[in-house]
Amino acid sequence: MKKLSRRITTRRILENLPGGVLVYKADRDNEQILYANREIINLFDCDDYDDFYNYVKGTFKGCVHPDDYQRVEDTIWNHIDNNTLNRDYVVYRIITKNGIIKEINDLGRLVIDKKYGDIFYVFLHDLGQKMQTVVNAGM
């Protein structure tokens, strides 16, 4: 029997979470993406990280349906400005590389990082997929 490692890597955790993890700069003029896990790449119907990064033009703005972007930005910053936990929650649409529109749950947290400055850590989840999972589970 193979011995189990006592330590699981952060990379393995991030790549196997049941939702997307996105990290981007919290700069309103340049919301550059710093990290996206495999679930984000799949969510956008992209082949790999480079394909995803190019598809969204390397920015959070490129991840949000154009008709939703201003509302999303206003909601995020309103939540951040009005709570002490630096957290936000918003629902919006995305357009996948294949042209499919999906509704997304976005739960984010603003963190001040010594190396990168202000960055958002965001957990994204496809609402349609979430509801199908609930139905399949008989809940």
Side-chain angles (χ1 to χ4, degrees):
M1 178 178 270
K2 186 176 179 180
K3 183 178 177 182
L4 294 177
S5 171
R6 292 184 183 197
R7 191 161 174 237
I8 191 165
T9 65
T10 304
R11 181 170 192 77
R12 183 170 287 162
I13 292 168
L14 289 171
E15 291 304 316
N16 290 292
L17 285 172
V21 175
L22 184 69
V23 180
Y24 68 93
K25 288 190 174 196
D27 176 351
R28 293 179 198 220
D29 296 324
N30 177 21
E31 298 170 315
Q32 178 188 6
I33 293 172
L34 303 172
Y35 175 81
N37 72 347
R38 168 54 63 188
E39 197 71 21
I40 293 285
I41 294 161
N42 293 341
L43 185 64
F44 281 84
D45 296 330
C46 292
D47 298 324
D48 55 32
Y49 181 82
D50 289 336
D51 188 32
F52 164 74
Y53 194 86
N54 291 330
Y55 175 68
V56 299
K57 298 176 181 61
T59 69
F60 174 69
K61 183 176 184 174
C63 294
V64 180
H65 190 291
D67 294 342
D68 294 354
Y69 181 73
Q70 193 56 56
R71 176 186 58 81
V72 169
E73 281 294 291
D74 293 345
T75 300
I76 288 171
W77 288 105
N78 184 49
H79 289 177
I80 294 299
D81 291 342
N82 290 301
N83 75 70
T84 58
L85 299 175
N86 285 340
R87 293 187 182 174
D88 67 88
Y89 173 77
V90 64
V91 176
Y92 55 88
R93 295 170 298 162
I94 66 167
I95 304 172
T96 72
K97 186 178 168 189
N98 294 330
I100 298 168
I101 296 176
K102 296 179 181 179
E103 193 169 27
I104 301 298
N105 269 332
D106 173 318
L107 178 62
R109 180 175 183 195
L110 177 66
V111 174
I112 299 169
D113 184 275
K114 291 179 184 177
K115 183 175 181 179
Y116 296 103
D118 292 352
I119 57 175
F120 276 110
Y121 288 86
V122 183
F123 189 74
L124 300 178
H125 201 277
D126 179 345
L127 277 170
Q129 184 182 51
K130 179 180 179 180
M131 294 311 298
Q132 188 60 48
T133 301
V134 169
V135 168
N136 290 345
M139 302 174 100

